Amino acid sequence: MMDPIIVIVSGPGGAGKGTIVEALIHRDSKLWLSRSWTTRIQREGESDDAYVFVQRAEFEKHIADNGFLEWTEFLGNLYGSPRPSVDSGLDIVLEIELHGAQQVKQSHPEAILVFVRPPSREEQQRRLQGRGDPEHHVVERLRKAEDEEREGAVLADVVVINDDFERAVAEIQGIIGAARAERR
Ligand code: 5GP
């Protein structure tokens, strides 16, 4: 079987990467979204399967068991992508922050790193506030976005600005299509 294409979608909170990834998965039955583990508390209204929500001890045990493809600490919580266990023949999408993305690029240099940017800081703030994070988290994430965007510009294979949702999704679909064509 051919190796799966690994698409990493990264970008600051409120860039809209979750919605983009959802659309990619919905529109392309050959894509599989990796479900991350986190020690973060589930947000109000957040779906139960947004993450595997675990206690820190369980997460740390999984690190010790070498169960993660990558993991990191982000604003005080642990996040990690479990190693995909079955080879389903589907291409893999990871929605993760940049430190994790770098780890995946190290172990899988052929992985495609897409960095999604919000159209503006104002729009990003509006989106972050809209999902019910406490205000100090919003401020923290907006501050972090400055560094992430600087690093993203250097590390990413492609930077996609999410000012027009359909165009942004189509752009990423195009990148995946090109990678598939190249693999054949
Ligand atoms: P949030 O708390 O907003 O759900 O996620 C915070 C950040 O962690 C986001 O940038 C999100 O993409 C990232 N993230 C989610 N899952 C993982 C993961 O498994 N590994 C890494 N490295 N980052 C993750």
Side-chain angles (χ1 to χ4, degrees):
M1 206 184 282
M2 281 180 295
D3 281 343
I5 290 168
I6 303 175
V7 185
I8 309 164
V9 179
S10 199
K17 57 192 189 300
T19 324
I20 288 179
V21 162
E22 209 176 290
L24 289 171
I25 298 294
H26 188 72
R27 295 175 192 187
D28 183 343
S29 59
K30 296 269 190 302
L31 287 180
W32 175 80
L33 177 62
S34 163
R35 186 146 66 108
S36 297
W37 288 29
T38 186
T39 61
R40 169 167 73 61
I41 308 242
Q42 190 173 2
R43 288 189 191 108
E44 225 179 282
E46 188 174 39
S47 147
D48 286 345
D49 56 15
Y51 285 101
V52 178
F53 294 95
V54 297
Q55 300 294 318
R56 205 167 176 108
E58 194 182 342
F59 197 106
E60 283 169 351
K61 178 167 186 314
H62 207 65
I63 296 173
D65 293 343
N66 197 23
F68 290 112
L69 180 63
E70 61 74 31
W71 66 273
T72 197
E73 180 150 4
F74 184 88
L75 296 176
N77 293 301
L78 301 177
Y79 295 82
S81 312
R83 290 187 187 284
S85 51
V86 284
D87 188 356
S88 58
L90 302 178
D91 294 322
I92 299 173
V93 178
L94 300 168
E95 189 208 316
I96 62 178
E97 55 68 64
L98 275 176
H99 182 238
Q102 265 179 295
Q103 294 175 50
V104 177
K105 281 290 260 184
Q106 260 160 25
S107 56
H108 298 79
E110 75 291 353
I112 304 165
L113 175 48
V114 178
F115 188 82
V116 179
R117 283 186 64 152
S120 68
R121 208 56 82 211
E122 291 70 34
E123 176 59 19
Q124 181 189 12
Q125 181 170 5
R126 207 182 56 75
R127 289 181 191 166
L128 285 171
Q129 284 166 337
R131 72 185 185 190
D133 272 346
E135 192 56 29
H136 69 277
H137 281 184
V138 172
V139 172
E140 221 171 12
R141 279 168 195 253
L142 287 171
R143 198 177 304 134
K144 194 161 171 67
E146 302 284 340
D147 293 336
E148 291 178 286
E149 287 178 12
R150 238 187 329 268
E151 290 168 25
V154 177
L155 296 171
D157 295 301
V158 55
V159 176
V160 172
I161 302 190
N162 187 17
D163 52 354
D164 175 338
F165 177 74
E166 286 301 330
R167 199 218 70 252
V169 172
E171 223 175 294
I172 300 172
Q173 284 180 308
I175 293 161
I176 297 171
R180 283 176 178 157
E182 212 170 282
R183 180 173 60 173
R184 273 184 212 115

